[in-house]
Amino acid sequence: EDKVVQSPLSLVVHEGDTVTLNCSYEVTNFRSLLWYKQEKKAPTFLFMLTSSGIEKKSGRLSSILDKKELFSILNITATQTGDSAVYLCAVPHMEYGNKLVFGAGTILRVKS
Amino acid sequence: GAVVSQHPSWVICKSGTSVKIECRSLDFQATTMFWYRQFPKKSLMLMATSNEGSKATYEQGVEKDKFLINHASLTLSTLTVTSAHPEDSSFYICSARTWTDTEVFFGQGTRLTVV
């Protein structure tokens, strides 16, 4: 059965800290891995990763995929209180219309 | 990026009534839409996959007579919670993808409260 595991489940840091969120996966016919940020409403898209070793970057956020070891990390540098959210990792299940298999999420709280 | 509009964003209804939630892709044709349910402090749980012009595929444990899904066009899918009960209170989110893309786009979500 396809599985996505995120760690840690929750994290509290101070503004300015750097955080690393982890996502490991077991899925047949892997094609991509997606990161989302969820605040009070629906998830907003951050990154889609398809190739190993190529870092994707957006401002203070970056992410990389390791297809050999079956994991991805999401880095946030110089954290701000606005980064407080749930970060979700998901992998499309290719055999079933690309339904997304989600990890449990990492709850990040950034204290000022 | 592509826009998915979900309506209403919140709804309160009486126990025993039915509630319809709409999910529209505004600037692309969505061959497949997904309906999720999210409990407080939990991740998204896929309820069903909706394909335009065919019956929805429900995940194990989801009652299809309770959660009616209709995907009548390439831009609209609806989820109807029939005979709602307080335990159906939850956050429901739809998402949609195009046939060319593995990326999915989420609606804003609907907070349903059944009293």
Side-chain angles (χ1 to χ4, degrees), chain A residues 31-32 34 36 38 40-45 48 50 88 92 94 96-105 107, chain B residues 9 32 34 36 38 41-44 46 49 59 91 93 97 100-109 111:
Chain A
R31 273 186 66 181
S32 64
L34 300 104
Y36 291 88
Q38 185 177 26
K40 292 187 178 174
K41 294 209 169 179
T44 53
F45 174 77
M48 180 169 73
T50 55
L88 296 164
M94 295 306 298
Y96 296 103
N98 275 336
K99 69 176 186 181
L100 287 179
V101 178
F102 279 91
I107 302 171
Chain B
S9 55
T32 306
F34 304 92
Y36 294 87
Q38 188 174 34
K41 298 187 180 177
K42 298 283 185 182
S43 191
L44 282 75
L46 181 67
T49 303
E59 296 298 302
F91 191 54
I93 310 174
R97 64 172 285 269
T100 58
D101 212 342
T102 58
E103 185 180 346
V104 296
F105 305 95
F106 284 89
Q108 305 95 313
R111 173 78 56 195

Side-chain angles (χ1 to χ4, degrees), chain A residues 55-102:
Chain A
E55 186 184 53
K56 289 221 173 176
K57 205 167 166 65
S58 175
R60 295 176 294 103
L61 277 66
S62 63
S63 185
I64 198 160
L65 176 68
D66 185 328
K67 287 164 78 173
K68 185 179 174 189
E69 300 297 329
L70 308 182
F71 78 91
S72 173
I73 59 171
L74 175 68
N75 274 324
I76 308 174
T77 58
T79 51
Q80 301 171 359
T81 54
D83 295 326
S84 298
V86 177
Y87 290 85
L88 296 164
C89 167
V91 178
H93 191 307
M94 295 306 298
E95 289 185 29
Y96 296 103
N98 275 336
K99 69 176 186 181
L100 287 179
V101 178
F102 279 91

